[in-house]
Amino acid sequence: MTGRWDRLGPDGHAMVEAAFVALETAAMLERPTVDRPAAPRLSPSALWAHVTGAAPVPRAELAAALLADPGLRETLDGLMQRAALATGPRVAAASTSDRVTERAGDGFRLRLLPARGDADQTWVMIDLDRPDPAPSRLTVLPAEGLPESVALAPPVDGAVQILAETASALVRGLADPASTVFLH
């Protein structure tokens, strides 16, 4: 091996050195260091336990896992669709402005209405086509960012109302046309 190295010449030595540096750099990026711990990986069963509420994943851990593995968002979306009583798909971009005030999903209609008493609050009005079984949770999955969930009161005359802060992540997610809405 030493004989071959000697026969490469200065250009060959530079090329081998550059290749070695590139391989070492790539290996360092894949390998966690003491200063940078490995990003958590969530298994599909851990995500399922989170979606069903059996074992919720801490918010910071979920955020790190979604950031580390972009494909995990698609898995989370699929699991949420399977567990949901009703799903409101993304809104077609051509039919909306920057903010959505109304969504329709399989089995429900959702509206965002400004609160008359306080401009900083928004009513989330959910009209259910079939109030039985009644959903107990609303979750919005934005195209980017973390899912936002809120507990739902039992429906009254087929409707559920939530008063939320207009600047909250929940209202921003519901108003985002790229978000998906789930009733669980």
Side-chain angles (χ1 to χ4, degrees):
M1 189 178 255
T2 306
R4 292 186 69 200
W5 173 256
D6 290 339
R7 286 188 266 158
L8 286 177
D11 289 339
H13 289 197
M15 182 186 72
V16 170
E17 184 178 353
F20 179 76
V21 168
L23 290 170
E24 281 295 307
T25 303
M28 292 280 290
L29 291 173
E30 292 177 1
R31 179 177 46 224
T33 64
V34 174
D35 297 336
R36 184 176 48 112
R41 304 237 181 220
L42 292 176
S43 67
S45 60
L47 276 179
W48 180 252
H50 174 75
V51 166
T52 59
V57 175
R59 202 165 167 74
E61 186 178 335
L62 182 60
L66 288 172
L67 185 62
D69 183 4
L72 193 61
R73 179 172 298 282
E74 190 174 313
T75 303
L76 179 62
D77 182 39
L79 291 174
M80 290 180 80
Q81 286 187 25
R82 282 189 173 91
L85 295 173
T87 302
R90 295 178 175 171
V91 179
S95 67
T96 67
S97 62
D98 292 338
R99 188 173 192 278
V100 173
T101 57
E102 190 170 318
R103 291 176 169 272
D106 181 29
F108 73 97
R109 181 173 158 239
L110 183 143
R111 294 174 291 145
L112 299 174
L113 303 171
R116 291 182 187 170
D118 189 351
D120 294 335
Q121 293 183 326
T122 298
W123 282 103
V124 179
M125 310 291 283
I126 305 168
D127 296 314
L128 302 169
D129 295 344
R130 301 174 305 272
D132 190 33
S136 61
R137 192 174 69 216
L138 165 72
T139 302
V140 60
L141 181 61
E144 295 180 11
L146 292 175
E148 295 293 330
S149 290
V150 64
L152 298 177
V156 175
D157 293 330
V160 178
Q161 301 176 358
I162 304 165
L163 184 60
E165 296 296 317
T166 301
S168 69
L170 177 71
V171 173
R172 284 193 323 265
L174 290 170
D176 180 5
S179 296
T180 307
V181 177
F182 303 96
L183 294 177
H184 300 275

